[in-house]
Amino acid sequence: MTVLDANATQPIEGGPSFSLANRLQRAAWGVTWALFAAWTPPPFHAWRGFVLRLFGARVAGTARVYGSARIWFPPNLTIEEHACLGPRVSCYNQAMVVIGARATVSQGAYLCAGSHDISDPNFQLVVKPIQIGSFAWVAADAFVGPGVTMGEGAVLGARAVAFRDLDPWTVYVGNPACEIKKRIMR
């Protein structure tokens, strides 16, 4: 668990959780994505990967990122070979988010690497990395919370909510996500 700028900021009073340099970099990123990537046709994955790499993301050449996906901070993103960040995905990557090879994050899913310390009177931001294993699937409109590791081949069903690690090759559904069966590949 990482608390950001605990001595310098008071978010409860409107203070920033991130440095001015970080905020300026994110502003430049937002403008660049809007002008050069968000509107591009779906097949332009290589171009969008290039734009992400310009801002510090580690995106494999075969990865697919859709223009309607929203990435908060590219340097905190790794997308491996043949992985997919689908349409309208929100990647709120205040901490590292790693998407393994051949993993899919489907439309409307939300990857959230940050929360707040509700015991702190200043309501400090707390960030934890998210790891999505190879061959895993985050289905439509699912939510993956801070610090979650989805094991290789794990499935988080549509609209499910994961706040705990998901075992490899296991299918989870519901809120909170509960195991329903093992995933067997043919």
Side-chain angles (χ1 to χ4, degrees), residues 60-86:
T62 58
R64 297 180 318 278
V65 177
Y66 283 78
S68 58
R70 294 291 167 253
I71 295 103
W72 191 79
F73 190 58
N76 285 348
L77 180 63
T78 298
I79 306 175
E80 297 178 359
E81 296 292 331
H82 301 286
C84 177
L85 205 58

Side-chain angles (χ1 to χ4, degrees), residues 4-5 8-19 23 26 116 122-125:
L4 303 178
D5 293 336
T9 181
Q10 295 188 351
I12 199 78
E13 296 175 6
S17 294
F18 293 90
S19 69
R23 289 179 282 148
R26 285 187 288 116
H116 291 272
N122 290 317
F123 203 53
Q124 291 299 327
L125 179 67

Side-chain angles (χ1 to χ4, degrees), residues 3 32 57 60 71 81-82 85 94 98 100 102 111-112 126 129 135 137 140 142 144 149 158 176 182 186:
V3 177
T32 300
I71 295 103
E81 296 292 331
H82 301 286
L85 205 58
Q94 296 164 313
V98 177
R102 299 185 185 278
L111 309 177
C112 183
V126 178
F135 299 97
W137 178 28
V144 179
T149 295
K182 293 297 179 187
R186 285 181 262 132

